[in-house]
Amino acid sequence: MPDRFITLSECLTAKRPADTLVSWHGGRYYYAGEFQAAVCRWTDKLRAQPERRYALYTEDAYPFAVLLFALLYADKEVWIPGNNRPGSAGQLKEQGCRLIGDWHEEAVTDYWLNAAPCPDRRLAPLDPSSAQLVMFTSGSTGEAKPVPKRLIQLQREAETLEKQWGRQLADAVALATVSHQHIYGLLFRILWPLAAGRCFHSRIYFNAEAIAHYGKSRPVYWIASPAHLKRLDQPLEADFTAIFSSGGPLSHEAAMQVSACCGQSAIEIFGSTESGGIAWRRQGLEPMTPWTLFEGMALSHEQERWRLQSPYLLDGERLELADRIELLDDGRFLLAGRLDRIVKVEEKRLSLSEMEQRLAELPWIAEAVTLMIAKSRDTIGAGIVLNRDGRQLLAEQGRSGLIRQLREALHHWFDAVVLPRKWLILDSIPLTTQGKTDTRLLNELLASSSRKLPQVLGLNLAPEHVELKLLIPPELVYFKDHFRNFPILPGVVQIAWAEHYGKLFFDIGQPFSHMDVIKFVRLIEPGNTLTLSLEWNAQAGKLYFTMSSKQGPHSSGRLVYGKTP
C-alpha cells in the first residue's frame, strides 16, 4: 500500500496532515483540519447526551462522515438505515435509536462543517474492535435485516481494496451514483477514500453525464451499480481511472457497452452486507467471465452449501452463502443464481431466479423480475421490461395476447400452477437507492386488494414523475352504493388513490394541508382502463395528479403538503 494510507481508526489523528484534501461539499473543498474540528465539536456534544444508539442518515456523504466518526468517538452505537422514510424512522425508534441527520422530524440544521481548526486538540486512535456499526441488508423479500459490524471489519476491507487498486487510482477523486447508506457505497465513497487520503465528492450524482463532465478536468473513479451502467448509450469523455460496480452481476451485453462508452471495462464486486466484498472480475469479449477471490478468502462446500472463510469475519467464523457457485480448477468461480429464491406454490417448488432467466431468454423481454405474493393463496407476480419486438407484439395483440404468449412459453419449463398470475409491464425495473430491485414497491403494486385499489397493469417511473396504467375492477367496494344501477367511482376515492400512490413512490413526509384546482371531467366506470399521472414538487410540497384515458382527462388536481398558509 502507498505510504499515505492510514487505518480508519487513525484517520483523524496527527498522522494525517491538516491540509490533506478530504471532500468537495456544498461548493467548496474541506480539508483534514476542518474535518477533525467538526468531528471534535460533535464528539463533545454527543458525549453529553445519554442515548447509546443512534440512527444516522444524511443525503450527502461529507456530513455523514463527520457524524459517523463523532458518534464512534463518543462511544455510540451507529445504525445506518437505507432510507429516511417515516416508516423506517418509526421502526428505528422502536429499536431504541435516536435519529440524527436528515430526518423529516428531527433534521440537523447546522452540521458545524465550518468549525475552526483546533491544532491543539488531539484525537487518539479509535479502538477498531469495539467501535460498532449496524448495517442493513436489502433483504430478498424487501424486509431489511440488521447486520452488526465492527470498525475493524471495514478497516480490513479498505486495506484490501487499497492493495488491489490503490496504485491504479493514484490521486483520482471518488464520484458516485450510489448511496453511502449501504455497505458498498459506505466503503467505496467514504471509508476507503478517507483511509487512502483521496478526495470524495459529497453529493450523489444521478446520471453518468454529470460525472463525465467533472471527469474532463481531472482523473476520477466512478462508484456505480449495474442499474446505472446498463443505461449507458453514448460515449463518455472523461479521465476514468476505474469504474466500480456492485449490487448484482452486469450482463455481458451491459459490460461491453460500458467498455465501448468509457474506454475501459467495469470492475465488478461480488459480496453482501454480511460478507463484505468476496470477489471481483472484469469481463472480456467472451461471456461467462469467472470471479476472482479477494486476498485471504476461501470457499468450502459442505452439506450442499458453500461457506466463506474471510478476514472480514470475526472470530474465525465461516459464513454460509445462499449462492450457487461453480468452483473452477484455478480457484476462480462462476455464479449460477441464488439458493434462497426457492419458493413453494401449491406445494410445487419454484426457483424465482430460473423463471426470471427463462423470461429474459424470450424474444420479447429485455428484463424480468419475479416474486412471491403471499396472500390467502400464494401466487407469483412478474414485472417485465419489453424490448422492441415485445412492444410490437403488445401493439398487435394487446396486453392479454402478450401475456398469453408469455405463459405459453413458460409452460415449456414450469407447471401451470406456478406460472405468474399478476403481471406488470414496466419501462424499467424499479430500484432502491442501493441499485437493488425494489421488491417492496413491486409487492405493493402486484399484491394490492382489488376491493379497494385498482389493478396496476404498467408503470413508467422517473425521479419526480410516475405514470401508472390502471384497470378499475368491478368488485370495488365503492361501486355498491354509488350508484346501484349506474356504478361510478366516487371523486373522493380518486383523490385517495392519488395520495396513496403518491406516498408510495415519493418521499412525502409533510402533513396534508389542502387541495387545489380539483376537477372531475368524465365518469370512471367499472372495467375502465386509465393512466394515473403523478408529479411531485418536493420544494413546493405539491403532488399533481391526472387520471386520463383514450377519451381524455377524467380528473385532475393537486394535493398540498406542509403547514397551512
Side-chain angles (χ1 to χ4, degrees), residues 420-436:
R421 294 178 179 273
K422 296 284 189 78
W423 295 82
L424 271 175
I425 299 176
L426 309 165
D427 67 329
S428 63
I429 302 296
L431 303 170
T432 66
T433 55
Q434 289 82 36
K436 302 277 190 175

Side-chain angles (χ1 to χ4, degrees), residues 344-413:
K344 275 191 174 182
V345 181
E346 301 292 322
E347 301 306 313
K348 295 285 187 180
R349 289 173 62 86
L350 168 68
S351 166
L352 294 175
S353 297
E354 181 186 4
M355 180 168 281
E356 289 169 2
Q357 179 182 341
R358 297 301 185 188
L359 279 168
E361 290 171 350
L362 296 178
W364 313 291
I365 305 294
E367 290 183 89
V369 60
T370 59
L371 68 159
M372 167 78 86
I373 301 172
K375 301 184 77 173
S376 57
R377 179 185 178 186
D378 291 340
T379 58
I380 300 300
I384 55 172
V385 179
L386 301 176
N387 59 22
R388 184 173 59 184
D389 291 340
R391 292 191 294 271
Q392 182 175 344
L393 180 63
L394 176 65
E396 293 173 352
Q397 299 193 15
R399 188 176 188 275
S400 59
L402 168 68
I403 291 173
R404 184 171 57 252
Q405 292 266 47
L406 298 178
R407 285 176 60 87
E408 289 174 359
L410 288 177
H411 204 6
H412 287 291
W413 295 288

